[in-house]
Amino acid sequence: MRYVPTDPDPTDAELWRRAVEGEAEGFGVLFDRHSRAVYNHCFRRVGDWSAAEELTSVVFLEAWRRRAEVRLDGDSALPWLLGVAANVARNRNRARRRHRDALARVPDRPDASDHADDVAERLDAERAMARLLRLVRRLSPDDQDVLALCAADGLSYAQAAVALGVPVGTVRSRLSRAKARLRELAAKEPHAQGERLSALQSTQEEL
């Protein structure tokens, strides 16, 4: 079925409805809108850009597979997609030893010299994220999820509650606990405190 948009700027809910009806191109628009946010979330959770790319594909494959059974809460699909991303990233971390070779594959580059700067930047980002993750992974899995969604992805408390399937009050308490614990851990390494917490300084207040 050919995708013929009837609305120049359809909501995610409308695109999702069309995808359920078989319009794959409408789902492609959802991918274009949200794949970068999903990728960023996955990278923050696993600290490996190649693995984050693969996990992003897993998220959208899961979304396509479950499209008929999912009802979005509101017009945006992003909170639900990030909830799926949190789950697949957590599963990957649990199984990272078994899947290390598959998830760490680096795509072939025809001319590596043309991309040397980009590769160096990616490696620097991976190293910085690895240092941050060493602290974050000392939190409970639930606290890791809410910290990533609210402090890093910028979801409101309400949106994070949708992503995690918990009450808003639970999001608030988990986030407060996670930030306090992270400050406590960072305080024990004062030489790196600023660098490791820089990505987590601002938390979007509930709308």
Side-chain angles (χ1 to χ4, degrees):
M1 180 182 297
R2 184 178 180 184
Y3 176 59
V4 181
T6 57
D7 184 334
D9 189 23
T11 64
D12 288 359
E14 172 63 18
L15 291 169
W16 197 280
R17 182 188 65 77
R18 295 175 187 175
V20 171
E21 294 174 353
E23 295 182 359
E25 291 86 350
F27 192 81
V29 176
L30 288 171
F31 179 86
D32 291 341
R33 283 183 181 178
H34 301 306
S35 59
R36 176 53 57 179
V38 171
Y39 168 85
N40 287 340
H41 177 90
C42 291
F43 177 73
R44 294 185 191 106
R45 301 303 299 274
V46 302
D48 181 307
W49 64 268
S50 182
E53 288 175 351
E54 294 198 23
L55 292 179
T56 299
S57 297
V58 171
V59 169
F60 282 94
L61 285 172
E62 179 70 0
W64 176 256
R65 185 181 69 82
R66 298 177 56 189
R67 67 192 185 281
E69 65 186 68
V70 172
R71 295 294 179 269
L72 300 182
D73 188 342
D75 286 335
S76 176
L78 185 58
W80 185 83
L81 289 169
L82 290 179
V84 176
N87 286 332
V88 299
R90 183 187 293 186
N91 290 339
R92 186 266 178 186
N93 284 333
R94 287 173 177 167
R96 62 186 180 276
R97 290 181 181 175
R98 295 196 307 269
H99 297 91
R100 183 179 301 161
D101 292 341
L103 295 177
R105 290 196 302 269
V106 178
D108 293 331
R109 293 181 172 82
D111 184 357
S113 62
D114 291 342
H115 303 281
D117 290 342
D118 180 62
V119 172
E121 289 178 1
R122 285 172 176 259
L123 290 175
D124 287 344
E126 286 187 8
R127 294 187 189 103
M129 188 57 61
R131 291 193 293 270
L132 177 61
L133 286 176
R134 279 197 290 272
L135 287 182
V136 172
R137 284 175 179 159
R138 295 173 67 181
L139 305 178
S140 71
D142 287 342
D143 288 356
Q144 290 182 43
D145 286 346
V146 76
L147 189 70
L149 291 169
C150 290
D153 293 324
L155 294 193
S156 68
Y157 297 131
Q159 290 172 324
V162 171
L164 297 174
V166 299
V168 172
T170 300
V171 172
R172 289 178 181 272
S173 61
R174 286 182 184 175
L175 182 60
S176 177
R177 180 178 63 209
K179 292 171 70 177
R181 176 60 175 155
L182 197 59
R183 284 194 295 268
E184 177 185 335
L185 292 171
K188 297 177 181 179
E189 303 181 27
H191 63 285
Q193 181 175 357
E195 175 186 355
R196 296 185 181 185
L197 292 181
S198 61
L200 302 172
Q201 289 298 318
S202 60
T203 301
Q204 182 179 359
E205 293 299 328
E206 182 181 11
L207 299 176

